[in-house]
Structures are given as C-alpha cells and as structure tokens.
Amino acid sequence: MQDAYSHALVAAGGFSDDERAAVYRAIETRRDVRDQFLPDPVPEQVLQRLLAAAHAAPSVGFMQPWNFIIVRDDGVREAAWQAFSRANEEAAAMFPEEKQEAYRNLKLEGIRKAPVSICVTCDPDRAGPVVLGRTHNLRTDAYSTVCAIQNLWLAARAEGVGLGWVSIFREEDIRLLLGIPERVEIVAWLCLGYVEQLYREPELAVKGWRQRLPLEELVYRDRWGDR
Ligand SMILES: Cc1cc2c(cc1C)N(C[C@H](O)[C@H](O)[C@H](O)COP(=O)(O)O)c1[nH]c(=O)[nH]c(=O)c1N2
C-alpha cells in the first residue's frame, strides 16, 4: 500500500508460535483474585508498565476517558473495605433466600489484603461534548475504560501480579472517599498484588456458584438464535 501515511505503517503479520502461545496463555490463565494476595509491594516500575498497557487500550474517538487513582494508603483501603462490606450485606439480601448462605460464603474482594488498589474512572467530558463514534451510544466511553482494564488485567497476569475487580459498593461512598467529581463515573476498584497460585478455573465455578457456558450455545450464524 502506498499512501500519504505509508511511513507510519508497520508490518501486520501474525506472531511467532511462542509469542502467540504467550498471548493465549495470558488470556486463558487470567483469574479474578480475591484471597491469594501476598503482602509484597508491587514496585512502581511494574505498576507503570501495567498502567501503560491500560493506556494502550482502544477508546471511542481516541477519547482515552480513563483516570487511574493508585491507592496504597491503609486507611483509605480500610474505608473502601467498609464501603464494600456495607454493600455486600445489601447484595446478599437481593438473592433468593436459598442462595444467600452460599453468597455469604464467597470471598468477593481482596481490598485489605492486596498491597495496592487502583480505582479506574471514566470522564465523559475528556474529549469535549461530541466525540467521534460516541454520537449514537453514550456508553462507549465506559466500554473504552473497560478495554483499558482488560489490558491491565492481562498485562498483570504476564507480570505475575494478581488482580481482582471489586464492584460491590455504593458509588457515592467511593466518590466521597477519593474526592471524585460528580460528573466522573467510577468504573472499577481493582486490587493488585503478587500471587503464588491461581485457580485453574474461575473461583465461582470451582465453588459451585456458576459454571462456564458452552461457547457453541452463544454463537449464532447470520441471525439471532440461528446456529
Ligand atoms: C465488571 C466486573 C465486575 C466484577 C467482576 C468482573 C467484572 C468483569 N468480578 C470478577 C468476576 O467474578 C470473574 O471475572 C468471574 O467470576 C470469572 O472468573 P475469572 O475472572 O475468569 O477468574 C468480581 N469478583 C468479585 O469477587 N467481586 C466483584 O465485585 C466483582 N465484580
């Protein structure tokens, strides 16, 4: 291809076998970590690599709506855990009675155990009022932020750093705790730390809460419901 931008292009061939295997290995062995965190600190350079991976994510109109609030402070993490704890009681009560005990027995966060947390936010005003690609779906800013989180999660797997996503809290509690402006959406509280072992399968499956669905049931051909 020869065009005005050809100097900005690089070859787009597939990866070598080893490189490809490494990518799939990160995808397949990535786990949500709750209880396996070691207290060892995550060095700042490692954290920077993870943040760079997140920042390399696709975003609608190249909006890059994310911010990352790095939380190492014990008091702040304790307060976040309290917010989780209150919300988790409310959450348990939302399930049918026969599931509540099983729910309460699940460990659903590692906020105090993990040495560092990252609160990931989405600023809807990052690229002005009209954003390319977001014109007909305002949620695409949050979708972009989730892409950044997934990049961070996979990079963390490759670094031997475990990551757990916590979403069980009232947004207002975390907003107040971290001084996040009203217009900014809180997308995730991520717990990070080194881990020695990971579950081979999702912990929720291992503990009988819910199993992985067969992929073929989820794939339709040409029309909704057609296989
Ligand atoms: C948007 C979102 C929000 C949450 C999660 C994930 C995502 C994508 N997950 C983790 C989730 O339970 C986990 O990904 C699945 O159970 C699958 O397990 P693996 O991630 O493959 O280990 C999660 N886990 C948890 O223990 N507490 C939580 O609050 C949440 N919240």
Side-chain angles (χ1 to χ4, degrees), residues 30-32 34 107-109 153 165-168 202-204 212:
R30 178 211 53 78
R31 289 276 79 83
D32 189 64
R34 291 108 176 169
K107 169 88 175 159
L108 294 174
E109 54 74 40
W153 210 337
W165 185 326
V166 186
S167 53
I168 305 163
E203 191 176 344
L204 294 189
R212 192 183 296 286

Side-chain angles (χ1 to χ4, degrees), residues 104-123:
R104 288 202 170 91
N105 284 333
L106 293 169
K107 169 88 175 159
L108 294 174
E109 54 74 40
I111 300 171
R112 293 179 301 182
K113 204 163 180 192
V116 59
S117 287
I118 303 178
C119 180
V120 185
T121 60
C122 172
D123 186 344

Side-chain angles (χ1 to χ4, degrees), residues 40-173:
D40 313 47
V42 179
E44 193 57 37
Q45 298 131 288
V46 176
L47 210 54
Q48 281 306 319
R49 289 201 291 271
L50 300 184
L51 294 171
H55 192 47
S59 61
V60 68
F62 204 25
M63 186 182 175
Q64 306 156 77
W66 41 72
N67 283 94
F68 307 97
I69 307 172
I70 299 167
V71 180
R72 292 192 193 268
D73 185 85
D74 287 346
V76 177
R77 285 189 295 123
E78 175 64 30
W81 181 81
Q82 305 263 348
F84 159 82
S85 197
R86 285 192 296 273
N88 201 40
E89 261 311 302
E90 296 170 353
M94 291 177 193
F95 289 94
E97 214 151 310
E98 65 275 12
K99 291 209 90 175
Q100 290 186 9
E101 198 194 335
Y103 180 86
R104 288 202 170 91
N105 284 333
L106 293 169
K107 169 88 175 159
L108 294 174
E109 54 74 40
I111 300 171
R112 293 179 301 182
K113 204 163 180 192
V116 59
S117 287
I118 303 178
C119 180
V120 185
T121 60
C122 172
D123 186 344
D125 303 329
R126 181 60 47 84
V130 187
V131 178
L132 183 158
R134 186 170 172 257
T135 46
H136 294 72
N137 185 344
L138 290 176
R139 292 194 299 165
T140 48
D141 57 0
Y143 300 167
S144 305
T145 306
V146 173
C147 290
I149 294 169
Q150 179 69 349
N151 268 14
L152 200 157
W153 210 337
L154 291 172
R157 176 66 195 93
E159 298 273 5
V161 172
L163 184 155
W165 185 326
V166 186
S167 53
I168 305 163
F169 48 74
R170 288 179 176 256
E171 193 180 46
E172 207 43 42
D173 287 349

Side-chain angles (χ1 to χ4, degrees), residues 32-38 107-111 113-114 164 194-195 197 199 203 207:
D32 189 64
V33 175
R34 291 108 176 169
D35 216 16
Q36 290 80 39
F37 291 111
L38 302 171
K107 169 88 175 159
L108 294 174
E109 54 74 40
I111 300 171
K113 204 163 180 192
Y194 287 100
V195 276
Q197 292 187 312
Y199 282 97
E203 191 176 344
K207 297 191 170 167

